[in-house]
Amino acid sequence: MQTSSELKNLLARIDRKSYPAYKDTRGEYQFSGYVLSIDHVQGDPFAAPSKLSIRVDGRTAAFPPAFYEKPWRRVALQDELTRQFARRAAQVSFQAKGSGQSGLVAVSRCGQEVLERTACSLDPKRGDILLRLEVGFPANGRTINARELEKILFEFLPRCVQGALFYRNLDAKRLQDVAGLAEDQQALRTMLPKLGLCAFVANGSILPRASGVSAKPMEGAVAFQSPPELAVTLDLPRRGRITGMGIPKGVTLIVGGGYHGKSTLLKALELGVYDHIAGDGREYVVTDPTAVKIRAEDGRSIRRTDISMFINGLPNGKDTAAFDTEDASGSTSQAANVVESLEAGASLLLMDEDTSATNFMVRDELMQRVIHRDMEPITPFLDRVRELYDRYGVSTILVAGSSGAYFHAADRIIQMDRYVPRDITALAKREAEAFPLTGAPLEPAKAPRFDRRPKPSPEFREGERVKLKALGRDGVSLNRETIDLRYVEQLADGEQTAALGYCLLYAQRRLLDGKRTLRQVVEELESLLDRQGLAALCESRAGVPFLARPRGQEIFACLNRCRSLRC
Ligand code: ADP
Ligand code: MG
């Protein structure tokens, strides 16, 4: 380790030299109260910025252990520190000048969800903080401007570090609130299954977002209010008593006229698998953490998936117990999404008719009379929704505004009426009696087989050069293949998508062997992340990228959409 004055001298020496001389700055430097590590230096001022990290010793940072000993509190504190640092970094970013990315100072941009990220991690025992950031090393053209870098490293960064990473300089009340909220959300999550619930939406929650491109809460929205029949009151450790709508396990329908807030409620439930920051409006919207949003996804690939519980006797004679396609239809894609979710351990499925394949959801009576069941390869979800719960314990929450077909199968029917939910179960059930079900009851399907054992692909062998690129939230490309994750709707952040790319590469290199099942592969990935954190995914000399942790369900989703995966 060198001293910060040695770094200062080095900067003076390389000033005005050509850009590659910046490479000499790689290394670790002791600053007052922290160690600055220059992990990777960019090749030129227009390339991806340099990667730096800051380590603050636990004794210096001095956060009370109660803030980080429990994992959920630690994730919340890491998230808060990242936001604190980001706010300060934004103020100094591009204050140092030059060409290209010169002067950039950045960390992860956190959204409404609280996620574990490589940007900031705390050691649960010692309280040491590791914060990763990117800095654009300044230059004029390709000539080093080391004086500007000196500004960043010796003026701006110390201020950011002092302000954001030292407990004594932070607002203790605010940190208490962050920890308390994390504690409450965790408590809610553990209470749900004990109460027989698969989701909870607190009264007063704000569900709609400001716009299609902003995840901030809508202003002036109608606050959520539980129907009395579904109201549940709970006791949370910090907030105390809280009342809201508890959605029991089983089959729940959300109905109501167009534009009455059905999809908005479902969307909030989809993201209720994550914790939310204070002020989001969905802090106390909590869903079964294994919940998966199911939708139609025409065009996706399917690899040897047993969709026979929904699809049988295709006209081309294809085997639907090990179904393979490069270009799925609406119904086959949705069937695969359901079965894969079961494989991924989902105990709650979320569906919206807006994004479902009609022929997968229902087949009306008249059509059943004209086209006999034997001529129709699709067993609609309607005929399996009860079976999924009764035999497999998998609940469904389904938005269905345009068909009453599910009334018979549902345990609960909630009507959204001008953004206010009403329990209309009794009424809807009464009406449904006037439309008795016809047709012979269906045989239960054979339980799907989950025995895919993917093989590694030689192009990813250790030592081979691999090109991995995150394409925002919507996909990731690995060598020549682009994995389309647009319709994996519960991905909340582009850094999660990037992490999926690294998961896939790690699996290719270390886990796929034709013996482990897909489930074992994902379990090993998750246990690696639990034990060593996200940074364990990348052994790159170019520094650790900004990644956020995806759920196991999304790791499955990524592997399942990988066209080159050989099972
Ligand atoms: P549906 O699925 O029933 O057709 P949406 O959930 O798409 O309806 O909601 C329709 C519109 O109403 C959206 O623009 C949404 O932002 C808005 N909205 C939803 N919930 C609320 C609410 N609680 N308060 C105010 N506006 C809302
Ligand atoms: Mg809708």
Side-chain angles (χ1 to χ4, degrees):
M1 173 128 42
Q2 303 179 63
T3 63
S4 59
S5 12
E6 285 172 297
L7 176 59
K8 208 175 247 182
N9 295 339
L10 172 61
L11 289 183
R13 278 203 305 282
I14 62 175
D15 193 24
R16 308 236 184 128
K17 289 202 174 154
S18 127
Y19 206 84
Y22 261 145
K23 296 272 180 201
D24 295 347
T25 60
R26 265 193 61 166
E28 300 190 337
Y29 306 93
Q30 181 71 57
F31 277 69
S32 146
Y34 63 94
V35 174
L36 172 77
S37 170
I38 299 178
D39 302 320
H40 173 74
V41 180
Q42 63 202 102
D44 68 75
F46 301 93
S50 304
K51 290 195 178 342
L52 280 61
S53 48
I54 283 164
R55 291 203 309 274
V56 187
D57 191 87
R59 279 163 309 190
T60 313
F63 286 86
F67 280 118
Y68 58 77
E69 279 170 347
K70 292 183 190 157
W72 54 93
R73 285 191 174 209
R74 182 169 73 252
V75 170
L77 177 61
Q78 290 167 176
D79 175 87
E80 173 65 13
L81 298 186
T82 308
R83 291 170 198 268
Q84 291 284 348
F85 196 95
R87 199 161 52 78
R88 290 170 174 81
Q91 286 162 8
V92 299
S93 191
F94 295 116
Q95 293 299 314
K97 308 281 182 216
S99 25
Q101 302 261 36
S102 292
L104 170 109
V105 181
V107 292
S108 295
R109 213 178 310 151
C110 303
Q112 300 299 105
E113 285 77 26
V114 176
L115 302 172
E116 184 182 339
R117 297 176 190 268
T118 50
C120 179
S121 59
L122 255 109
D123 180 290
K125 294 217 178 66
R126 304 162 44 88
D128 299 345
I129 300 176
L130 173 63
L131 183 120
R132 297 188 169 89
L133 72 155
E134 292 184 340
V135 173
F137 281 13
N140 300 318
R142 293 186 43 84
T143 306
I144 288 180
N145 186 341
R147 249 166 281 160
E148 291 294 286
L149 184 57
E150 191 183 314
K151 259 202 233 165
I152 297 174
L153 302 183
F154 289 84
E155 246 181 79
F156 301 162
L157 280 189
R159 266 195 271 145
C160 297
V161 175
Q162 302 249 345
L165 305 182
F166 291 177
Y167 178 66
R168 61 168 188 273
N169 296 332
L170 285 158
D171 178 349
K173 165 80 174 54
R174 189 185 161 94
L175 293 175
Q176 286 290 357
D177 290 346
V178 166
L181 183 54
E183 201 59 51
D184 279 355
Q185 293 178 343
Q186 175 67 17
L188 248 177
R189 262 177 230 292
T190 35
M191 280 177 199
L192 284 194
K194 293 179 195 149
L195 296 164
L197 302 177
C198 56
F200 177 84
V201 184
N203 289 348
S205 295
I206 300 298
L207 307 187
R209 300 295 95 189
S211 75
V213 292
S214 165
K216 298 260 165 67
M218 175 190 276
E219 278 178 39
V222 177
F224 189 86
Q225 182 66 38
S226 171
E229 297 87 341
L230 293 172
V232 179
T233 298
L234 307 166
D235 228 330
L236 297 181
R238 190 200 56 145
R239 193 184 141 134
R241 284 166 80 79
I242 186 169
T243 302
M245 178 171 85
I247 302 183
K249 292 180 185 174
V251 178
T252 305
L253 283 194
I254 301 171
V255 302
Y259 223 68
H260 279 253
K262 304 183 295 297
S263 298
T264 304
L265 171 57
L266 194 79
K267 191 86 219 161
L269 294 174
E270 289 166 26
L271 290 173
V273 299
Y274 301 114
D275 284 354
H276 287 92
I277 54 168
D280 173 79
R282 298 167 298 182
E283 295 93 314
Y284 299 99
V285 179
V286 169
T287 311
D288 175 334
T290 67
V292 173
K293 168 70 178 289
I294 303 289
R295 56 167 294 158
E297 195 178 341
D298 330 17
R300 65 159 284 192
S301 65
I302 298 173
R303 286 286 163 269
R304 290 199 56 237
T305 300
D306 182 359
I307 56 170
S308 60
M309 73 188 302
F310 298 109
I311 318 274
N312 267 300
L314 287 177
N316 59 9
K318 260 191 169 180
D319 180 10
T320 58
F323 190 70
D324 239 315
T325 181
E326 287 304 324
D327 184 10
S329 66
S331 55
T332 50
S333 64
Q334 200 163 354
N337 285 345
V338 171
V339 176
E340 289 167 354
S341 302
L342 302 184
E343 185 170 18
S347 49
L348 173 61
L349 307 179
L350 302 169
M351 287 195 200
D352 193 329
E353 63 179 3
D354 289 358
T355 50
S356 291
T358 312
N359 58 348
F360 179 74
M361 300 308 286
V362 286
R363 218 148 65 84
D364 75 18
E365 187 127 353
L366 181 53
M367 188 55 86
Q368 288 188 41
R369 279 192 210 177
V370 175
I371 310 290
H372 191 258
R373 205 179 249 174
D374 300 344
M375 294 299 291
E376 172 54 70
I378 304 174
T379 304
F381 187 72
L382 174 61
D383 290 338
R384 297 284 183 222
V385 66
R386 281 256 46 109
E387 188 178 330
L388 282 174
Y389 184 62
D390 297 338
R391 287 175 80 103
Y392 303 96
V394 176
S395 299
T396 298
I397 300 176
L398 169 69
V399 170
S402 62
S403 160
Y406 279 83
F407 284 166
H408 293 280
D411 297 306
R412 287 281 169 187
I413 301 156
I414 299 167
Q415 179 193 357
M416 291 305 287
D417 178 2
R418 280 160 287 188
Y419 316 125
V420 178
R422 308 199 184 288
D423 183 338
I424 59 158
T425 311
L427 168 78
K429 287 282 187 189
R430 237 182 358 259
E431 291 296 323
E433 273 170 28
F435 293 83
L437 289 177
T438 53
L442 209 63
E443 284 289 301
K446 269 211 312 240
R449 277 184 333 212
F450 300 131
D451 59 356
R452 291 182 290 166
R453 296 168 200 276
K455 298 188 225 15
S457 163
E459 63 176 313
F460 300 114
R461 265 198 299 258
E462 209 82 47
E464 298 284 335
R465 270 186 80 88
V466 173
K467 260 177 73 192
L468 193 153
K469 199 162 157 231
L471 311 167
R473 197 220 69 104
D474 288 345
V476 60
S477 79
L478 195 53
N479 285 351
R480 279 178 312 273
E481 182 178 359
T482 297
I483 298 152
D484 184 352
L485 299 167
R486 258 178 306 170
Y487 299 123
V488 180
E489 295 187 348
Q490 288 163 294
L491 276 176
D493 192 296
E495 290 187 4
Q496 287 181 309
T497 313
L500 289 176
Y502 282 88
C503 284
L504 182 56
L505 181 58
Y506 188 96
Q508 279 283 3
R509 287 194 164 156
R510 308 276 182 90
L511 299 175
L512 306 189
D513 56 5
K515 296 194 194 85
R516 287 185 178 94
T517 62
L518 208 53
R519 190 180 264 173
Q520 286 165 334
V521 168
V522 176
E523 277 168 6
E524 293 210 25
L525 277 167
E526 290 212 279
S527 121
L528 175 79
L529 298 180
D530 286 341
R531 281 179 288 117
Q532 299 182 36
L534 283 159
L537 290 173
C538 26
E539 62 231 56
S540 109
R541 281 157 290 124
V544 174
F546 288 138
L547 305 177
R549 182 156 179 183
R551 296 186 305 161
Q553 280 71 21
E554 276 71 38
I555 303 179
F556 263 102
C558 177
L559 289 164
N560 279 322
R561 282 160 185 75
C562 178
R563 288 173 192 267
S564 62
L565 202 69
R566 299 176 307 145
C567 298

